Amino acid sequence: MDVSNLLAMLGMADWDMAKFFTALLSIVVIDLVLAGDNAIVIAMAARNLPDHLRKKAIIWGTFGAVITRVLMTIAVVWLLKIPGLLLIGGAALLWIAYRLLSDSSGHQIEGSKINSMASALKTIIIADTVMGIDNVLAVAGAAHGSIFLVIIGLLISVPIMVWGSTLALKLIEKFPVTIYIGAAILVYTAVHMIIAEPLIAGFWDSVPWLTYIVYIVAMVIVLGGGWMVSRTNKSAPPAQAK
């Protein structure tokens, strides 16, 4: 079977090998960059869980992220028509980054491990859904309408998130400051989504210098506020189970 027949079977009869591999390389790069954000969220949400629950949180969190991406990929055309989608998603991600930092005291109530696991998974899936907007739109654009390439993009993102989450967890344990680096990446992603929102794109184009101030202010508010709340929580005695 020659290459042209193979591409025709994949629904890409009008493609050549150069276009195929260019699109594939674009998707790989997109997943390496954007799936890294998801890995950071999974690691930060799972860091306070007991050791035996962390791997489960990573696996189930990744599974949930992939399912939401599949659903969003199927509905990508519909998603593009929702006004303010990136704006709402960016604002939600800023709140998630703040919560992940402010909850970093590590205090746990004895006997509440199931609730902690459920809370971690909820945070992971919500954050991955929000950030998945960027990923799905980017991959769909790079795939030029090819479902085959979109599926490859989803398959590539899975090992990146699992491996990246495990690595990020080890870094957080060894270097606690990694939490703030991860949160800073989430803040950057959130502000980028807000600025990319078509509804207000004209405003940013008229005052491009203001975007830099927004990045700085968001970093200060989220990282500074999260650090202050986390420090207060650490100085308070841990809650006791009733």
Side-chain angles (χ1 to χ4, degrees):
M1 182 182 295
D2 60 25
V3 174
S4 59
N5 289 335
L6 178 60
L7 290 175
M9 288 180 58
L10 296 175
M12 295 180 257
D14 58 337
W15 289 48
D16 55 28
M17 289 305 293
K19 181 178 179 181
F20 175 82
F21 282 110
T22 298
L24 180 59
L25 179 61
S26 298
I27 289 172
V28 171
V29 172
I30 289 168
D31 277 314
L32 285 173
V33 174
L34 297 181
D37 290 350
N38 299 76
I40 289 171
V41 166
I42 293 172
M44 292 178 68
R47 70 187 184 280
N48 286 333
L49 293 175
D51 291 340
H52 69 282
L53 290 180
R54 287 183 177 181
K55 180 175 285 189
K56 291 182 180 179
I58 290 174
I59 293 173
W60 285 108
T62 301
F63 177 76
V66 171
I67 293 300
T68 56
R69 286 193 190 188
V70 170
L71 296 176
M72 291 170 66
T73 301
I74 294 173
V76 66
V77 175
W78 178 73
L79 287 172
L80 286 171
K81 297 179 181 179
I82 300 178
L85 180 65
L86 291 176
L87 179 62
I88 296 171
L93 189 55
L94 285 174
W95 174 247
I96 290 171
Y98 167 77
R99 285 296 303 274
L100 287 172
L101 279 180
S102 61
D103 290 344
S104 64
S105 62
H107 289 163
Q108 291 183 349
I109 299 176
E110 190 65 30
S112 66
K113 293 179 180 177
I114 295 178
N115 290 335
S116 296
M117 179 70 168
S119 177
L121 288 178
K122 182 176 70 173
T123 299
I124 290 168
I125 292 174
I126 291 174
D128 281 333
T129 300
V130 171
M131 290 187 296
I133 297 170
D134 252 4
N135 186 281
V136 167
L137 295 181
V139 169
H144 302 290
S146 169
I147 298 299
F148 175 73
L149 285 176
V150 170
I151 293 173
I152 288 181
L154 289 170
L155 294 177
I156 290 173
S157 68
V158 174
I160 293 175
M161 283 190 283
V162 173
W163 177 81
S165 302
T166 304
L167 176 61
L169 263 174
K170 292 179 179 178
L171 288 174
I172 288 172
E173 290 177 348
K174 192 170 184 179
F175 307 105
V177 72
T178 307
I179 296 174
Y180 292 90
I181 296 174
I185 293 173
L186 298 183
V187 172
Y188 176 85
T189 302
V191 175
H192 176 75
M193 291 175 65
I194 292 172
I195 291 175
E197 170 56 50
L199 286 178
I200 55 177
F203 171 74
W204 301 116
D205 290 340
S206 64
V207 283
W209 55 269
L210 188 58
T211 59
Y212 299 103
I213 295 178
V214 173
Y215 277 108
I216 295 172
V217 171
M219 290 285 182
V220 171
I221 292 176
V222 175
L223 299 186
W227 175 78
M228 290 178 65
V229 173
S230 175
R231 188 172 181 179
T232 301
N233 290 341
K234 285 180 179 180
S235 63
Q240 301 295 324
K242 295 181 178 180

